[in-house]
Amino acid sequence: MRACFTASLVLLAACAAHPQATGPERPAEARAQGAFWPPAVQTGKLPIPAERTRAIEALEKEVEAALNAKDAKRAAALFAPGYGDVENWAGKVFPHALAPFDFKVETLFPAGAGVVCMIDIFMPKYAKGGYARYQWGKPVYLGPGEKGRWCVQKYPPPGMPQPRLVAIEALVWLAPEREWMRAEAEVRVEPRGQQVLIFELAAHAPHSDGGLRVSEVRDSSGRPLVYMAHGETLAVQLAELADSVELRFRYEGEPPQHKSDYLTAEEIHLRGDGRWLPLLPDTQARFDLTVRYPEGYTLFGQGDRLSDQALASAPGWREARWTMREEDMYSLYGAREYVHKRFRGGQAELTVALWPRHKDRLEKVGSTAARLMEGLEALLGPYPFKHLRVVETGYNDGRSGYGALTNVSLGWRNLAEEIEEDFFAHEFSHGWWGGQVPSAPEASSRGQWSETLAEYTCSLVLDEAKALEKRKSWSEGYARLPAKIEKPMMEVGTRSAHWGLHHGVTYQRGALVMTALEDRLGREAMKKLLRAFIRERSGKQSTWRDFLACLTEESGREKAEWLLHWLETKGAPALKLEGVKASGEKVSGAIAQADTDFTGEVQLGFYQGDALLGVERVPYGPGERAFELALPAGAELLVVDPLFRTPRRYDPNADRLEAGQAARLAP
């Protein structure tokens, strides 16, 4: 693949001798100078069968009739049952579009038994008059649902085979001062019966203003293919189906410019989510990336860096190459100036790169990262990659970091305060969860186990005070998640839920469930389970089902069935103290659970003032479970789950005594 790819780069190689041609400052100038590759095949709409057009028109009329009758719930039930977001449509979108109303489905191309489309809704603005445009952020699938009725579904819908991206090899030319890039990428894909492939690329039609403009897509024989750029997707129609195809893309222009992804004269921050490389959703591929960039910049790519040297054919330019095994996206960071140093964290080589104004934090960041990595290696085994890089960036206005395998960005504002050890530990642990044990494609929509394990694992390498604070944030965060929007962990992931739901269910509730599992197994047995899962599933795409199989093997069916119940069920017990009485050296009472049937154990803590004197574990189940415990001398208060180790529902803002979360121990 590389020999064929290299031969195709004559044009880009020629540009090396004339760097000024790599990125005119404005699209109009580019057209005038002929700097764009001429499009081989103009984009256009792909033909839609007539019967599908009629089905769409019928659905539009039904939805509009329901809205004209001011029945947003019916409209949403007609329109979005397959999307799993009916409440959002009924409660947030359609009510504001009742009058006046304009609803438009723009069909893009046929897929399966339906079509892929974009949806526009025009609705009254809240204050300024006129109309506001609500557009679904990405193409969706409109086709027959479970009962044959057409409705909106995520693409690809259940049951439709999803194409797989196997490998991508790209040459990228960056001109940061002009906020410009040019790329030629060759990808290998298994279409799995789909003749139209939807790539995630911030693509626009040739000669459009702004964005990355795609000039051509060809197959391995050099044959130009019909394609369509829309929003941040690129649809490509294959000339013929095959088990495996190779496609070559050419595009250039301005990559996305926002808080998360940008290319500026001062900094380069291109995440996989930034759609600057043509990728397929929910698949993992091998990356081979060559980047040419001006002297004076330092770049950090993912994976193994094979080379970084001056480009002999173009004075003032450098060329770096990285390879990365089995990843679903690729991130690249860089800036004009860095101070950087290498540290050793267990068997991993760490590089920490900070901006010069924060050079006084270099040792602290490096030693913290090394200590956390040593803790993770002691827990999980050797770090699966040769290198790990921590790079300061302006991501999200410097307020937060972003984790990618082997490449972690750290917001500059974080350096002005205490280093967020939990963020480091979470992102580092993805070297094992999602790295050494890859996540199956479906997990990003239905049970994102890698995020749950990364969040839980981070608490195991923090000191007890920070671990307690972390668990408290999980407990209170999950308790605040509205119960009406909650879904089971097996139904939630990055691609199937908004961030608030995903964070509350996958991260916070999920980490608490794993903490409760640890309490059932014991800390050492839990460590053994994690290492066994890594050993058994190394290099194999995995889901929660694989983790359950490992749990069954290590600890028995009963423990696995307990965890499965938590994975497949939404909610958590609302535990309360009832009838607590202290008498002599004993305290008695009951743990009550209403309306749910979870079983487990919860800690009860004895306090004297602010001092925790001790904890005891008691069982809970449906209804009430009585307990009788020894009463420590001086104990004044009994508190439910004092160390935040149990997933539960409660009001974090309520008075603990009034809410049954605590009871006084007066004789």
Side-chain angles (χ1 to χ4, degrees):
M1 181 173 171
R2 185 164 187 83
C4 173
F5 177 70
T6 304
S8 72
L9 299 181
V10 176
L11 178 57
L12 282 178
C15 289
H18 304 282
Q20 70 275 12
T22 63
E25 294 183 1
R26 297 288 183 269
E29 297 174 13
R31 290 194 289 272
Q33 297 172 18
F36 284 94
W37 288 306
V41 176
Q42 288 285 356
T43 61
K45 289 192 175 182
L46 307 181
I48 306 295
E51 69 275 8
R52 302 188 193 186
T53 300
R54 289 193 292 270
I56 295 170
E57 292 172 350
L59 178 62
E60 286 178 312
K61 289 180 180 178
E62 284 189 275
V63 173
E64 189 163 355
L67 289 168
N68 287 336
K70 301 186 182 299
D71 191 347
K73 289 185 177 180
R74 173 166 170 74
L78 285 167
F79 186 70
Y83 201 88
D85 204 11
V86 173
E87 287 191 4
N88 183 59
W89 284 93
K92 296 182 180 179
V93 180
F94 281 151
H96 302 298
L98 293 179
F101 172 76
D102 187 7
F103 172 71
K104 178 183 178 184
V105 175
E106 181 183 357
T107 57
L108 302 183
F109 43 82
V115 298
V116 172
C117 63
M118 295 294 289
I119 299 167
D120 286 336
I121 295 176
F122 293 82
M123 64 190 76
K125 286 187 177 179
Y126 292 102
K128 298 181 180 179
Y131 292 91
R133 181 168 180 258
Y134 180 100
Q135 183 180 65
W136 209 246
K138 61 181 69 175
V140 294
Y141 179 76
L142 190 57
E146 292 182 0
K147 298 181 180 180
R149 176 181 289 276
W150 276 49
C151 62
V152 175
Q153 302 172 59
K154 286 189 177 293
Y155 183 83
M160 179 183 289
Q162 182 165 324
R164 175 175 176 257
L165 181 65
V166 178
I168 177 169
E169 191 172 335
L171 174 63
V172 178
W173 197 285
L174 299 179
E177 291 187 348
R178 297 178 178 179
E179 299 180 359
W180 194 268
M181 67 174 285
R182 166 176 283 183
E184 183 162 332
E186 185 168 303
V187 302
R188 181 177 299 145
V189 177
E190 295 174 356
R192 298 182 176 178
Q194 302 302 314
Q195 194 154 2
V196 176
L197 306 179
I198 302 180
F199 290 88
E200 295 182 335
L201 182 69
H204 296 260
H207 307 324
S208 62
D209 292 329
L212 297 174
R213 289 166 291 286
V214 180
S215 58
E216 70 174 34
V217 183
R218 296 178 181 268
D219 61 19
S220 57
S221 67
R223 174 172 41 190
L225 301 178
V226 176
Y227 64 92
M228 180 177 182
H230 194 292
E232 294 191 344
T233 60
L234 181 71
V236 178
Q237 186 175 41
L238 302 178
E240 57 190 16
L241 282 175
D243 292 338
S244 178
V245 298
E246 290 185 3
L247 305 177
R248 185 173 301 124
F249 300 81
R250 279 178 164 178
Y251 56 95
E252 61 184 312
E254 302 157 352
Q257 301 282 32
H258 44 67
K259 292 181 180 180
S260 300
D261 299 283
Y262 43 87
L263 174 65
T264 68
E266 298 302 320
E267 189 183 0
I268 300 157
H269 195 280
L270 297 173
R271 304 175 306 146
D273 291 338
R275 302 194 177 204
W276 58 289
L277 294 172
L279 305 177
L280 290 174
D282 297 338
T283 64
Q284 294 186 320
R286 299 186 302 275
F287 286 82
D288 190 330
L289 186 69
T290 299
V291 180
R292 292 176 177 174
Y293 62 99
E295 292 275 9
Y297 288 83
T298 302
L299 298 188
F300 297 93
Q302 281 184 263
D304 296 327
R305 185 175 65 182
L306 303 185
S307 62
D308 190 350
Q309 58 194 5
L311 193 59
S313 59
W317 290 79
R318 297 185 65 82
E319 178 180 276
R321 181 184 172 199
W322 292 270
T323 58
M324 181 69 182
R325 68 185 193 225
E326 298 298 317
E327 174 63 311
D328 59 353
M329 56 183 64
Y330 196 92
S331 297
L332 181 71
Y333 311 137
R336 285 185 181 276
E337 293 184 88
Y338 278 117
V339 289
H340 49 88
K341 181 177 178 179
R342 292 182 178 179
F343 296 82
R344 175 62 63 177
Q347 298 185 37
E349 182 181 282
L350 305 175
T351 298
V352 177
L354 305 181
W355 295 344
R357 68 173 182 263
H358 290 140
K359 62 182 180 181
D360 60 319
R361 307 300 301 275
L362 189 63
E363 289 294 333
K364 184 173 183 179
V365 173
S367 60
T368 299
R371 172 170 51 80
L372 292 171
M373 180 57 73
E374 289 172 357
L376 287 168
E377 287 198 343
L379 177 68
L380 304 174
Y383 186 65
F385 301 92
K386 295 179 181 178
H387 307 283
L388 175 64
R389 306 168 186 94
V390 177
V391 184
E392 181 179 0
T393 70
Y395 172 64
N396 194 24
D397 286 336
R399 290 185 172 86
S400 55
Y402 180 81
L405 287 182
T406 77
N407 230 22
V408 176
S409 76
L410 180 67
W412 62 267
R413 295 177 192 267
N414 299 120
L415 294 172
E417 302 171 358
E418 189 68 23
I419 296 173
E420 297 179 2
E421 294 188 13
D422 58 333
F423 167 74
F424 274 180
H426 176 106
E427 299 304 342
F428 292 178
S429 69
H430 274 305
W432 293 270
W433 313 131
Q436 186 172 356
V437 183
S439 185
E442 61 268 26
S444 63
S445 298
R446 297 183 295 279
Q448 204 158 4
W449 63 269
S450 58
E451 294 297 348
T452 297
L453 291 190
E455 187 71 357
Y456 163 70
T457 300
C458 83
S459 70
L460 301 181
V461 295
L462 301 176
D463 65 41
E464 183 49 40
K466 291 179 180 177
L468 175 60
E469 191 63 30
K470 187 65 176 175
R471 294 194 302 271
K472 180 180 179 182
S473 72
W474 296 338
S475 181
E476 294 183 349
Y478 170 64
R480 290 189 174 97
L481 179 70
K484 66 180 181 180
I485 71 168
E486 185 177 355
K487 295 181 180 180
M489 290 169 62
M490 284 289 210
E491 298 178 13
V492 174
T494 304
R495 294 186 179 273
S496 63
H498 60 77
W499 170 246
L501 175 59
H502 180 40
H503 188 238
V505 171
T506 304
Y507 289 70
Q508 295 173 325
R509 181 183 186 271
L512 288 168
V513 169
M514 299 309 294
T515 302
L517 177 63
E518 175 196 323
D519 288 342
R520 290 179 76 85
L521 301 180
R523 173 65 67 92
E524 291 307 313
M526 189 67 174
K527 291 180 180 179
K528 183 181 177 183
L529 170 64
L530 297 178
R531 289 192 289 266
F533 184 53
I534 292 170
R535 182 176 63 253
E536 294 297 323
R537 301 301 302 176
S538 181
K540 303 173 185 176
Q541 293 186 349
S542 301
T543 67
W544 272 120
R545 298 290 178 183
D546 299 303
F547 187 84
L548 288 165
C550 189
L551 176 57
T552 301
E553 182 68 24
E554 291 293 318
S555 301
R557 182 177 299 276
E558 183 272 333
K559 300 296 192 299
E561 289 177 349
W562 178 89
L563 177 58
L564 179 62
H565 179 70
W566 279 96
L567 296 176
E568 293 185 332
T569 307
K570 65 180 181 179
L575 302 176
K576 294 184 178 181
L577 290 169
E578 298 283 0
V580 175
K581 295 181 180 180
S583 177
E585 297 181 351
K586 298 287 185 179
V587 60
S588 61
I591 287 287
Q593 174 185 186
D595 302 326
T596 52
D597 61 352
F598 293 94
T599 60
E601 291 184 335
V602 64
Q603 289 181 337
L604 299 182
F606 294 93
Y607 280 84
Q608 183 180 43
D610 294 331
L612 179 61
L613 302 180
V615 296
E616 294 286 349
R617 302 194 64 81
V618 299
Y620 66 83
E624 292 188 1
R625 296 289 177 91
F627 63 82
E628 185 177 76
L629 304 171
L631 180 62
E636 302 168 342
L637 196 69
L638 186 66
V639 176
V640 176
D641 193 24
L643 302 179
F644 304 99
R645 301 187 65 85
T646 299
R648 56 195 177 95
R649 282 292 189 178
Y650 63 100
D651 182 356
N653 299 320
D655 181 273
R656 291 190 300 176
L657 292 169
E658 294 180 0
Q661 299 301 299
R664 298 195 186 280
L665 296 174

